[in-house]
Amino acid sequence: MIIIAGYSRTESDERDAAVAAFAVMVGRARKHDGCLDLSIGPDAVDSERINVFECWRDQQSLNAWRKAARAPRVALRETHVSLYRSDEAERPF
């Protein structure tokens, strides 16, 4: 399993438009084979922050998605996103 998580920053008056620009891509990703979850959304307390979370079954699924993703062009000031690999998952609650 591959998890991509972190955040990006943009100007606070541009954040909601930036998040909205990703809506179609997020919908397509969630239907893509191997996508377990994908979310790009506004942070609840920081008006400049956009949270990113992706969970993929395997590297092949992620690679196939990257070829088809067609991400929108959005002006971001900075990005802090990391990729994590795991071979197990468990319910936390």
Side-chain angles (χ1 to χ4, degrees):
M1 178 179 352
I2 296 178
I3 296 171
I4 299 171
Y7 65 93
S8 295
R9 291 190 177 283
T10 190
E11 300 304 319
S12 59
D13 61 339
E14 297 174 8
R15 184 196 63 184
D16 291 344
V19 169
F22 283 98
V24 170
M25 187 192 78
V26 169
R28 287 189 308 103
R30 289 179 180 173
K31 295 175 185 172
H32 198 273
D33 181 47
C35 180
L36 304 176
D37 194 14
L38 194 142
S39 177
I40 298 175
D43 189 76
V45 297
D46 185 338
S47 65
E48 297 180 343
R49 183 171 159 150
I50 299 169
N51 294 318
V52 176
F53 178 82
E54 300 182 42
C55 187
W56 294 91
R57 181 181 60 226
D58 52 35
Q59 187 67 51
Q60 294 79 12
S61 299
L62 176 59
N63 291 348
W65 168 247
R66 291 292 182 243
K67 290 179 182 178
R70 298 186 315 270
R73 294 181 187 248
V74 175
L76 301 172
R77 274 199 333 252
E78 60 187 271
T79 299
H80 303 277
V81 177
S82 297
L83 183 147
Y84 305 89
R85 296 177 192 278
S86 176
D87 61 351
E88 59 184 77
E90 58 186 75
R91 296 194 184 278
F93 308 108

